Amino acid sequence: MLPRFLIIFTLFGLACCGFDPVYQPKSSQQLAIPFSLQVTGDNDTAYSTYKFKQEMNSLLSTLTPPPGEKLKIKIHLTESFGDIGYGSDASILRSQGRMIAILEIYSSHATPLYKNTIDMVSSYTINNSEEFTNLNAKNAARERIIISLASEVSREISFVIRKFDTFKKETPLNSEVLSAK
Protein backbone atom coordinates (compact mmCIF):
# COMPACT_ATOMS: atom_id res chain seq x y z
CA MET A 1 0.00 0.00 0.00
CA LEU A 2 2.82 2.38 0.85
CA PRO A 3 4.62 2.04 -2.54
CA ARG A 4 1.38 2.83 -4.40
CA PHE A 5 0.85 5.89 -2.24
CA LEU A 6 4.40 7.11 -2.94
CA ILE A 7 4.02 6.63 -6.70
CA ILE A 8 0.72 8.50 -6.78
CA PHE A 9 2.09 11.24 -4.53
CA THR A 10 5.22 11.59 -6.70
CA LEU A 11 3.24 11.78 -9.96
CA PHE A 12 0.81 14.27 -8.44
CA GLY A 13 3.69 16.32 -7.05
CA LEU A 14 5.49 16.44 -10.40
CA ALA A 15 2.29 17.44 -12.19
CA CYS A 16 1.61 20.26 -9.74
CA CYS A 17 5.10 21.71 -9.45
CA GLY A 18 5.37 22.75 -13.10
CA PHE A 19 7.74 19.97 -14.10
CA ASP A 20 9.02 20.45 -17.68
CA PRO A 21 10.73 17.67 -19.60
CA VAL A 22 14.36 18.58 -20.31
CA TYR A 23 14.66 17.37 -23.89
CA GLN A 24 11.23 18.32 -25.20
CA PRO A 25 10.80 21.70 -26.92
CA LYS A 26 8.65 24.23 -25.07
CA SER A 27 6.06 24.20 -27.85
CA SER A 28 4.69 20.81 -28.73
CA GLN A 29 4.95 21.45 -32.45
CA GLN A 30 8.13 22.00 -34.42
CA LEU A 31 8.82 25.49 -35.62
CA ALA A 32 7.93 25.67 -39.29
CA ILE A 33 10.49 27.23 -41.56
CA PRO A 34 9.24 29.31 -44.48
CA PHE A 35 11.66 27.65 -46.91
CA SER A 36 12.12 24.32 -48.58
CA LEU A 37 15.27 23.05 -46.86
CA GLN A 38 17.20 20.03 -48.13
CA VAL A 39 20.34 18.97 -46.24
CA THR A 40 22.36 16.06 -47.59
CA GLY A 41 25.65 14.52 -46.57
CA ASP A 42 27.78 11.44 -46.77
CA ASN A 43 26.61 8.21 -45.15
CA ASP A 44 29.56 8.42 -42.73
CA THR A 45 28.31 11.76 -41.40
CA ALA A 46 24.63 10.92 -40.81
CA TYR A 47 24.73 12.35 -37.29
CA SER A 48 26.38 15.55 -38.50
CA THR A 49 23.80 15.95 -41.25
CA TYR A 50 20.93 15.40 -38.81
CA LYS A 51 22.36 17.76 -36.16
CA PHE A 52 23.14 20.41 -38.78
CA LYS A 53 19.57 20.28 -40.12
CA GLN A 54 18.16 20.63 -36.60
CA GLU A 55 20.35 23.69 -36.00
CA MET A 56 19.30 25.16 -39.36
CA ASN A 57 15.59 24.63 -38.61
CA SER A 58 15.84 26.67 -35.43
CA LEU A 59 17.91 29.41 -37.06
CA LEU A 60 15.84 29.72 -40.25
CA SER A 61 12.50 29.79 -38.43
CA THR A 62 13.11 33.45 -37.54
CA LEU A 63 13.73 34.56 -41.14
CA THR A 64 10.97 35.83 -43.40
CA PRO A 65 11.15 35.00 -47.09
CA PRO A 66 10.62 37.63 -49.78
CA PRO A 67 6.91 38.19 -50.44
CA GLY A 68 5.51 35.89 -53.09
CA GLU A 69 8.60 33.68 -53.21
CA LYS A 70 9.13 30.15 -51.94
CA LEU A 71 12.89 29.74 -51.79
CA LYS A 72 14.45 26.29 -52.00
CA ILE A 73 17.66 25.88 -50.04
CA LYS A 74 19.98 22.94 -50.74
CA ILE A 75 22.97 22.26 -48.52
CA HIS A 76 25.45 19.43 -49.03
CA LEU A 77 27.83 18.64 -46.15
CA THR A 78 31.19 16.92 -46.22
CA GLU A 79 33.21 16.22 -43.11
CA SER A 80 36.80 15.16 -42.56
CA PHE A 81 39.13 14.67 -39.62
CA GLY A 82 42.90 14.45 -39.79
CA ASP A 83 46.09 14.78 -37.80
CA ILE A 84 47.90 18.12 -37.89
CA GLY A 85 50.52 18.00 -35.13
CA TYR A 86 53.20 15.42 -34.39
CA GLY A 87 55.68 15.02 -31.55
CA SER A 88 59.40 14.29 -31.87
CA ASP A 89 58.68 10.58 -31.54
CA ALA A 90 56.14 10.76 -34.43
CA SER A 91 53.20 10.46 -32.05
CA ILE A 92 50.07 12.47 -32.86
CA LEU A 93 49.64 15.53 -30.66
CA ARG A 94 46.82 17.43 -32.38
CA SER A 95 43.99 16.63 -34.79
CA GLN A 96 41.59 18.78 -36.73
CA GLY A 97 38.05 18.47 -38.02
CA ARG A 98 36.73 20.27 -41.08
CA MET A 99 33.20 20.54 -42.38
CA ILE A 100 32.27 22.03 -45.74
CA ALA A 101 28.76 23.18 -46.65
CA ILE A 102 27.89 23.77 -50.30
CA LEU A 103 24.96 26.19 -50.22
CA GLU A 104 22.59 26.59 -53.18
CA ILE A 105 19.50 28.81 -53.13
CA TYR A 106 16.82 28.59 -55.81
CA SER A 107 13.81 30.84 -56.40
CA SER A 108 10.28 29.51 -56.69
CA HIS A 109 10.81 29.43 -60.48
CA ALA A 110 13.68 26.93 -59.99
CA THR A 111 16.23 29.47 -61.16
CA PRO A 112 19.51 29.46 -59.23
CA LEU A 113 19.94 32.59 -57.15
CA TYR A 114 23.06 31.91 -55.17
CA LYS A 115 25.78 29.33 -54.69
CA ASN A 116 28.63 29.41 -52.20
CA THR A 117 30.94 27.09 -50.30
CA ILE A 118 31.41 27.70 -46.58
CA ASP A 119 33.78 25.75 -44.37
CA MET A 120 34.63 25.58 -40.68
CA VAL A 121 37.62 24.09 -38.90
CA SER A 122 38.21 23.12 -35.28
CA SER A 123 41.16 21.33 -33.73
CA TYR A 124 41.66 19.37 -30.54
CA THR A 125 44.53 17.92 -28.53
CA ILE A 126 45.27 14.19 -28.63
CA ASN A 127 46.17 12.33 -25.45
CA ASN A 128 47.86 9.10 -26.57
CA SER A 129 47.15 7.24 -23.35
CA GLU A 130 43.40 8.03 -23.18
CA GLU A 131 41.19 6.80 -26.01
CA PHE A 132 37.96 7.94 -24.33
CA THR A 133 39.30 11.47 -23.88
CA ASN A 134 40.28 11.60 -27.55
CA LEU A 135 36.82 10.47 -28.64
CA ASN A 136 35.18 13.11 -26.43
CA ALA A 137 37.50 15.80 -27.81
CA LYS A 138 36.66 14.75 -31.39
CA ASN A 139 32.92 14.79 -30.69
CA ALA A 140 33.16 18.19 -29.00
CA ALA A 141 35.05 19.55 -32.01
CA ARG A 142 32.34 18.13 -34.30
CA GLU A 143 29.62 19.86 -32.24
CA ARG A 144 31.49 23.19 -32.33
CA ILE A 145 31.88 22.93 -36.09
CA ILE A 146 28.21 22.07 -36.66
CA ILE A 147 26.91 24.94 -34.53
CA SER A 148 29.34 27.49 -35.99
CA LEU A 149 28.74 26.35 -39.57
CA ALA A 150 24.95 26.43 -39.15
CA SER A 151 25.04 29.99 -37.82
CA GLU A 152 27.35 31.07 -40.64
CA VAL A 153 25.14 29.46 -43.29
CA SER A 154 22.02 31.07 -41.79
CA ARG A 155 23.76 34.47 -41.87
CA GLU A 156 24.59 33.88 -45.51
CA ILE A 157 20.97 32.94 -46.29
CA SER A 158 19.74 36.03 -44.44
CA PHE A 159 22.11 38.17 -46.50
CA VAL A 160 20.86 36.61 -49.75
CA ILE A 161 17.23 37.15 -48.75
CA ARG A 162 17.85 40.82 -48.00
CA LYS A 163 19.69 41.28 -51.31
CA PHE A 164 16.97 39.38 -53.20
CA ASP A 165 14.23 41.48 -51.59
CA THR A 166 16.11 44.70 -52.44
CA PHE A 167 16.69 43.48 -56.01
CA LYS A 168 12.99 42.64 -56.48
CA LYS A 169 12.02 46.11 -55.22
CA GLU A 170 14.48 47.79 -57.58
CA THR A 171 13.69 45.68 -60.66
CA PRO A 172 10.24 47.17 -61.51
CA LEU A 173 11.66 50.68 -61.20
CA ASN A 174 14.58 49.83 -63.50
CA SER A 175 12.30 48.21 -66.08
CA GLU A 176 10.07 51.32 -66.11
CA VAL A 177 13.10 53.53 -66.61
CA LEU A 178 14.40 51.28 -69.43
CA SER A 179 10.99 51.14 -71.16
CA ALA A 180 10.58 54.92 -70.96
CA LYS A 181 13.72 55.49 -73.08
Side-chain angles (χ1 to χ4, degrees), residues 20-181:
D20 285 331
V22 176
Y23 295 110
Q24 183 178 3
K26 293 291 183 194
S27 65
S28 61
Q29 57 183 342
Q30 279 282 33
L31 297 173
I33 61 171
F35 309 102
S36 171
L37 178 64
Q38 178 184 1
V39 179
T40 59
D42 302 332
N43 286 337
D44 297 340
T45 60
Y47 170 76
S48 299
T49 304
Y50 170 78
K51 180 72 173 169
F52 182 82
K53 187 170 184 177
Q54 295 303 314
E55 289 289 328
M56 289 302 297
N57 280 336
S58 65
L59 293 169
L60 292 179
S61 64
T62 60
L63 297 178
T64 56
E69 285 290 329
K70 178 71 174 170
L71 298 180
K72 182 175 185 177
I73 300 170
K74 289 184 178 182
I75 302 170
H76 181 74
L77 296 176
T78 57
E79 178 181 42
S80 62
F81 283 86
D83 303 327
I84 59 171
Y86 298 93
S88 59
D89 60 346
S91 61
I92 302 166
L93 298 177
R94 196 148 185 84
S95 287
Q96 165 178 298
R98 180 178 187 198
M99 190 175 290
I100 300 170
I102 300 171
L103 170 66
E104 296 175 346
I105 302 175
Y106 296 92
S107 70
S108 56
H109 307 294
T111 56
L113 292 176
Y114 185 77
K115 184 174 182 177
N116 194 9
T117 302
I118 303 168
D119 65 338
M120 286 286 156
V121 176
S122 183
S123 63
Y124 55 97
T125 304
I126 297 290
N127 184 353
N128 290 325
S129 62
E130 291 290 328
E131 185 176 343
F132 182 71
T133 305
N134 296 337
L135 183 61
N136 281 339
K138 181 179 181 178
N139 289 337
R142 176 179 283 130
E143 292 289 326
R144 285 191 305 268
I145 293 170
I146 290 170
I147 292 169
S148 298
L149 187 61
S151 65
E152 187 64 32
V153 168
S154 69
R155 268 190 238 112
E156 196 81 15
I157 292 170
S158 174
F159 174 74
V160 169
I161 290 172
R162 282 185 279 139
K163 285 293 188 184
F164 183 73
D165 198 28
T166 305
F167 177 72
K168 285 204 49 124
K169 288 178 184 175
E170 292 175 357
T171 303
L173 179 63
N174 291 340
S175 63
E176 290 174 6
V177 171
L178 289 175
S179 63
K181 289 183 179 180

